[in-house]
Amino acid sequence: MVTSSRLFQVRGYPSWLVSAFSERYAGAISTFAITLLAFDLTNSATAAGTLGATRMLIAYGLAIFGGVVVDAYDRRRLMIIRASLSAAIWTTVAFLAVTDVLTFPWFFVLVCLSTVVAGFLGSASESALRSLVTKQDYVRARSINEARDASAQVLGAPISGALYGVQQAFPFIVSSVGQVIALLSAFHLPPLVPTSRTDTTDSTLFKKVPFLTNALAGFRFIRRTPAMVPLTLNSVFSNLGSFLLMTTVTLLLLSRSVSAETIGLIATTEAVGILVGSTLASKISTQFSTGSLAFVANIWSFIALLPVLIWQSPVLIGACYFLWAFIQPANNAALGGYRFSVVSVSMQGRVSAADTLLVGLPVALSSFVAGQLVDHGLALLSFVVSMGLLILAILVVLYPSVRKIPQPHLWPVSEE
């Protein structure tokens, strides 16, 4: 079993972790504040949901092209560019909010600009991890990532709500600081230019091969690799189902005048569940076959969220979110590690972008759908559809190619 001490001895990994954590921390704060500010500027759940849907459509629509960029250029440099631009954008939002001249159209444009940056460069950080650690290290690294993300959510959601309650600009100021920390940490990374003996992806090749051909390479890889198609479908159904339900919950509570602090605490219970689950993720994901774990995790997720279909009290929602989140780190570490194992270093960006697009586009529409349903008093319908999607996620992992995925030490390894 890989130990944390060994992982932290990997050259560049500590700096990568600080950069990735800071970026995630900034994102947790700004994302929560975006929904609150959009609602306050418009007093409309539909407008808030539309902004969320637009952000996701932009991010996922650009991801396929961003994957090509990430596989062609130094990922360290791309991380630096992303952090710099994000810090500038959130500083602008904070300034406009402080001076009380921020309008929804301007806010919409700035948020979309930040999303364009994330769409093109968002996969640079995770792809950089593939250049830093081995397959043996990755399951442990992924478990740490889950804990990193959860701790950012634990701090981000309530802090964002509390800061927003004092001044609308404060969450965006803190987000800017987080991006600056990510920027400075990225400077300490070694060059991370993706190279491979079997799949050269330097800039010369990218000049010779049509851009669209490179962009579609990730889709071709998913299509021809055993288990990748059902795993992608599982991601679509499970993410769409859970995101639609949770977005509906947030907008429904806002429409009922539940305070931002309370909603932030509900989000925190999810993060705490991930944080607790991440402490066992490495052990669980290595002790059981990945196929069996995927099946159990999807059933667990369905049962955990089912009570929200009937009752929507903040306490019950928080408990359901905690139980749902507890199993996610182990499942993500296992399935993410399997994808890591079968995808070469030079293909990480494009395969990640293809998966992001296929999963993200349906999820992006859920924000708009949730806003419409809440505004028209049809939140229950949204909950029923969400649970139906989670059932489909369970059925997909019954595919033989998924059920037969073994324990991590028996995974196939891609040629480099």
Side-chain angles (χ1 to χ4, degrees), residues 261-290:
E261 291 81 1
T262 298
I263 297 175
L265 288 174
I266 291 174
T268 300
T269 62
E270 175 192 346
V272 171
I274 294 175
L275 188 60
V276 174
S278 66
T279 62
L280 300 174
S282 181
K283 182 176 182 179
I284 294 174
S285 59
T286 54
Q287 289 292 321
F288 302 96
S289 72
T290 300

Side-chain angles (χ1 to χ4, degrees), residues 126 129-130 133-135 137-143 145-146 221 228 231-232 234-235 281 285 290-291 293-294 327-344 348 351-352 355 405-406 408 411-412:
E126 292 302 319
L129 181 61
R130 180 66 167 95
V133 303
T134 64
K135 183 192 80 169
D137 292 331
Y138 185 80
V139 172
R140 178 58 183 165
R142 183 59 185 261
S143 299
N145 287 359
E146 296 290 337
F221 182 91
M228 288 295 285
L231 284 178
T232 301
N234 172 259
S235 294
S285 59
T290 300
L293 177 58
I327 198 64
Q328 303 309 313
N331 190 43
N332 292 340
L335 296 183
Y338 177 77
R339 291 187 179 97
F340 174 97
S341 179
V342 299
V343 180
S344 66
Q348 287 287 321
V351 174
S352 175
D355 185 73
I405 299 176
W411 288 340

Side-chain angles (χ1 to χ4, degrees), residues 27-333:
I29 293 177
S30 61
T31 297
F32 187 72
I34 285 170
T35 301
L36 299 177
L37 186 52
F39 187 83
D40 280 349
L41 291 173
T42 62
N43 197 34
S44 168
T46 297
T50 299
L51 176 56
T54 302
R55 289 181 65 213
M56 298 183 78
L57 285 171
I58 292 173
Y60 297 140
L62 293 178
I64 183 174
F65 305 108
V68 178
V69 173
V70 168
D71 281 342
Y73 300 102
D74 183 357
R75 291 159 179 173
R76 168 183 174 271
R77 183 180 302 172
L78 298 180
M79 290 171 65
I80 291 171
I81 293 173
R82 181 189 178 182
S84 300
L85 293 176
S86 297
I89 291 169
W90 295 132
T91 299
T92 302
V93 171
F95 175 78
L96 293 176
V98 166
T99 55
D100 201 26
V101 296
L102 183 64
T103 61
F104 183 70
W106 271 113
F107 184 58
F108 193 97
V109 170
L110 289 168
V111 169
C112 288
L113 283 176
S114 74
T115 309
V116 168
V117 174
F120 271 113
L121 306 177
S123 62
S125 179
E126 292 302 319
S127 295
L129 181 61
R130 180 66 167 95
S131 301
L132 290 171
V133 303
T134 64
K135 183 192 80 169
Q136 290 72 25
D137 292 331
Y138 185 80
V139 172
R140 178 58 183 165
R142 183 59 185 261
S143 299
I144 293 175
N145 287 359
E146 296 290 337
R148 173 205 70 192
D149 292 348
S151 62
Q153 284 182 275
V154 168
L155 295 173
I159 289 177
S160 182
L163 292 175
Y164 188 87
V166 178
Q167 163 56 248
Q168 293 176 339
F170 285 179
F172 301 102
I173 293 174
V174 174
S175 294
S176 297
V177 173
Q179 294 292 351
V180 171
I181 294 174
L183 167 67
L184 296 176
S185 298
F187 273 113
H188 292 280
L189 292 172
L192 299 173
V193 180
T195 57
S196 172
R197 295 190 300 270
T198 61
D199 184 17
T200 304
T201 56
D202 59 25
S203 59
T204 301
L205 177 62
F206 273 70
K207 291 176 182 178
K208 294 179 180 178
V209 179
F211 189 88
L212 185 59
T213 300
N214 275 308
L216 296 178
F219 294 96
R220 291 194 295 271
F221 182 91
I222 290 175
R223 184 187 62 195
R224 70 172 185 257
T225 304
M228 288 295 285
V229 171
L231 284 178
T232 301
L233 288 173
N234 172 259
S235 294
V236 172
F237 295 139
S238 60
N239 281 280
L240 181 57
S242 58
F243 191 86
L244 177 61
L245 183 143
M246 293 178 180
T247 303
T248 301
V249 166
T250 298
L251 295 176
L252 183 63
L253 294 179
L254 283 172
S255 69
R256 292 175 178 176
S257 300
V258 176
S259 69
E261 291 81 1
T262 298
I263 297 175
L265 288 174
I266 291 174
T268 300
T269 62
E270 175 192 346
V272 171
I274 294 175
L275 188 60
V276 174
S278 66
T279 62
L280 300 174
S282 181
K283 182 176 182 179
I284 294 174
S285 59
T286 54
Q287 289 292 321
F288 302 96
S289 72
T290 300
S292 298
L293 177 58
F295 178 67
V296 172
N298 278 273
I299 292 179
W300 179 295
S301 298
F302 175 82
I303 294 174
L305 294 177
L306 186 59
V308 180
L309 186 68
I310 303 172
W311 301 285
Q312 293 89 45
S313 72
V315 173
L316 178 66
I317 292 169
C320 290
Y321 281 15
F322 175 87
L323 292 174
W324 172 85
F326 177 79
I327 198 64
Q328 303 309 313
N331 190 43
N332 292 340

